[in-house]
Amino acid sequence: MTTASDIWTIASAADAARARARLACLAAGSAAGAVERARFLTEVGARLREGVERGGADLAVSTGAQEELRVTVRQPGRPGAWERTLPGPAPAAAPDGGGGREGGEDGEDGEGAAAELAEALLCADEDTAAVLATLAEREELVRFHREELHQTNQGVLALHAELEAAALAQRELLEAERAARAEAENARRLLTFLTDASATLNASLDHEDILRRLPGLLVPEYAHHVDVWLADDDRTPPGDRAAATVTAVRTGRPQHAAAHPAGLPGVDDLPASALSPDRPLLCVPLGARTVQGVLTLTAPGDRFDPDTAVMLLELARRAGIALDNARQYERHRDVAEALQRAQLTDLPVIPELALAARYLPATHGLNIGGDWYDAFPQPDGSVLTVIGDVTGHGLRAAVIMGQLRTALRAYAVEGNGPAGILTLLHRMLRHQQPELYATCAIARFTPGDPTVVWAAAGHPPALTRGPGGEVRVLDAKPGIMLGVPVPFEYEEHTVRLPAGSTLALYTDGLVERRAAGIDTGIARLAQALAALSAADMEDLDAAAESLLKPMLHDSEHDDDVCLLLCRTAPEGA
């Protein structure tokens, strides 16, 4: 083949077939691969069929500068040409009998055409086999990659499933952690409330005060309404609560009344037919040892929360203990106060000496039963006035006070003076009650003698008020307290009291307060005594009341109070 073009005229399908066959023979010797040759021949064949359908075409075959095979197809009446190139080197010569004459006649005999066609078919078979082999390789490669892709997809799907499972597990863990935190926070809140509420209830020893505090603690967060019914209460529970209250008292177990059972822990559900209130009710028995009452709670919403119900049961149990303690304390207090007052005898009526006394128990706490006063005449005509305070409180202190009072009178009848009586009391208490101590002050008035003899054992100093209203504190150093495990002899002191003078004896409960020392209280008492007028002193009982008012204006005192006023007869009386 020369560099000049061979032009074949394609007028029929047979011409197109022979031209393609010849091109296949030419392409077979090309350096191009089978797939590229097949693609080249397929494109040329498509252009030749299109030319035949449109009335014919001219096919030019030539070699380029790089010995590549160049094919150009031109269709009459259409501008431009279609051109394709097959990489070289191209064959050295075109097959014998190639086209080039117009009209599509090749000038070859039938045998030559047949041989040419057979050779073209063999070349086409070789290319087809090569293409099929290449396709088989590609299919194998595609199958391999498809398998790899499938395995990769399976791995991705498995990984995605694992990630989904991990994400789900993580969400579940987060939800569980969130729920656990919420439960822990709720438990902490309930426990904190229970602790604070218990401290509030136990801070009081008045059972009525405890009952008043319960609604304020529970409404409205934990209950819509709170009602307490006590066994000794005259009132009857409301009709919609009577059944639940009676059942709680009879069984001693908490009862839940509602249209539907709640299944609260530790609580019995009443049948819906027995009681169907507008709101659920929780009736809890009160009392540590026996059922003393029932705490009835109306739910703040449509039901009781189980955790809140457990807290309410525990709070009711603690409230029952607080009520038991308060009632036991009140009984103990009443007995001690009754014993205390029973041992405070009536003051004697003595013409030369006016007497007035006051005793007030502590306003809170069990600080009663230790203070006492006494006054009695002696065989020689003198009068002993006494005031004392036993350490400790309650029944035991009241009993010891009675023993001291009795022993003091016995020692006085034997003719002992104030100091001697205190010395004997000190010995008795030190040996018989070594763990108890007492303070005491004794003053002896002798008719016709303005001199008063007195002695004190660790007691607050007495006060004197002259006829003109001047006040003096008898601040001589007192002896030690009675019962201190040390031998001690008490000394007597004297003070001159002109006619119409007053001696004030008192216990520390009158002058001592937590916010101020005892010296401040003594100074206040001295001011109050000096502030009384001469007319006030005419009625000694009224004077005692006038002294108590400024000293106890807050009406709260932690200790017993005893006050004994002794006024000598005025001149000419």
Side-chain angles (χ1 to χ4, degrees), residues 122-329:
L122 291 177
C123 292
D125 288 342
E126 291 178 359
D127 288 344
T128 301
V131 169
L132 291 176
T134 302
L135 287 176
E137 292 177 359
R138 298 292 174 86
E139 286 179 355
E140 180 65 22
L141 186 61
V142 168
R143 186 195 63 77
F144 174 75
H145 287 300
R146 185 180 292 113
E147 183 67 24
E148 281 191 342
L149 181 60
H150 175 70
Q151 294 179 0
T152 302
N153 289 338
Q154 292 297 111
V156 170
L157 291 175
L159 179 60
H160 181 70
E162 292 179 359
L163 292 177
E164 285 290 334
L168 179 60
Q170 186 177 14
R171 284 196 298 270
E172 292 176 351
L173 289 176
L174 289 176
E175 290 295 332
E177 181 182 2
R178 190 177 295 110
R181 287 183 178 179
E183 291 180 1
E185 178 61 24
N186 184 56
R188 185 198 65 78
R189 180 179 60 84
L190 293 177
L191 184 59
T192 300
F193 170 77
L194 180 62
T195 302
D196 295 341
S198 301
T200 300
L201 296 178
N202 291 324
S204 176
L205 288 174
D206 184 348
H207 79 279
E208 293 183 356
D209 182 51
I210 293 174
L211 296 178
R212 285 192 299 268
R213 294 183 182 189
L214 274 172
L217 292 172
L218 296 173
V219 178
E221 183 173 0
Y222 299 104
H224 177 70
H225 178 75
V226 174
D227 182 71
V228 180
W229 177 82
L230 298 178
D232 56 357
D233 198 343
D234 295 334
R235 64 191 180 94
T236 303
D240 61 343
R241 303 173 189 169
T245 301
V246 171
T247 305
V249 173
R250 178 173 55 82
T251 62
R253 287 183 54 81
Q255 303 294 319
H256 177 264
H260 303 285
L264 299 176
V267 180
D268 296 339
D269 282 304
L270 291 176
S273 59
L275 182 63
S276 297
D278 295 335
R279 288 175 180 260
L281 296 179
L282 184 62
C283 298
V284 187
L286 294 175
R289 302 169 184 86
T290 60
V291 178
Q292 299 184 9
V294 175
L295 173 66
T296 301
L297 306 169
T298 305
D302 57 352
R303 66 182 183 88
F304 283 101
D305 177 72
D307 293 338
T308 302
V310 172
M311 183 275 294
L312 292 174
L313 296 185
E314 177 62 20
L315 180 61
R317 186 187 70 83
R318 298 186 183 188
I321 294 175
L323 288 173
D324 283 349
N325 292 339
R327 292 199 167 190
Q328 185 177 1
Y329 155 76

Side-chain angles (χ1 to χ4, degrees), residues 242-481:
T245 301
V246 171
T247 305
V249 173
R250 178 173 55 82
T251 62
R253 287 183 54 81
Q255 303 294 319
H256 177 264
H260 303 285
L264 299 176
V267 180
D268 296 339
D269 282 304
L270 291 176
S273 59
L275 182 63
S276 297
D278 295 335
R279 288 175 180 260
L281 296 179
L282 184 62
C283 298
V284 187
L286 294 175
R289 302 169 184 86
T290 60
V291 178
Q292 299 184 9
V294 175
L295 173 66
T296 301
L297 306 169
T298 305
D302 57 352
R303 66 182 183 88
F304 283 101
D305 177 72
D307 293 338
T308 302
V310 172
M311 183 275 294
L312 292 174
L313 296 185
E314 177 62 20
L315 180 61
R317 186 187 70 83
R318 298 186 183 188
I321 294 175
L323 288 173
D324 283 349
N325 292 339
R327 292 199 167 190
Q328 185 177 1
Y329 155 76
E330 290 170 356
R331 289 192 296 267
H332 193 78
R333 174 192 174 96
D334 293 342
V335 171
E337 184 175 349
L339 179 61
Q340 175 83 0
R341 291 189 180 278
Q343 297 187 94
L344 297 175
T345 57
D346 295 334
L347 296 175
V349 178
I350 302 173
E352 297 85 0
L353 186 66
L355 299 172
R358 291 291 182 274
Y359 169 75
L360 297 176
T363 54
H364 55 81
L366 200 58
N367 298 337
I368 58 175
D371 293 15
W372 91 96
Y373 62 85
D374 199 2
F376 53 91
Q378 291 285 80
D380 60 0
S382 62
V383 178
L384 285 184
T385 57
V386 182
I387 198 162
D389 184 3
V390 177
T391 59
H393 305 285
L395 288 174
R396 187 180 182 192
V399 171
I400 296 301
M401 180 270 289
Q403 294 176 357
L404 288 177
R405 175 179 173 276
T406 302
L408 188 149
R409 285 199 170 206
Y411 295 147
V413 170
E414 294 177 357
N416 293 292
I421 295 173
L422 291 177
T423 300
L424 293 173
L425 288 175
H426 174 63
R427 292 175 184 173
M428 182 199 77
L429 195 61
R430 185 160 58 94
H431 290 289
Q432 295 184 5
Q433 301 289 342
E435 72 278 6
L436 286 180
Y437 309 107
T439 66
C440 186
I442 304 175
R444 184 177 63 191
F445 293 84
T446 303
D449 186 356
T451 302
V452 176
V453 180
W454 64 276
H459 202 79
L463 301 179
T464 63
R465 172 191 164 101
E470 64 279 5
V471 175
R472 174 187 172 192
V473 179
L474 302 183
D475 55 358
K477 184 177 180 181
I480 63 174
M481 295 177 65

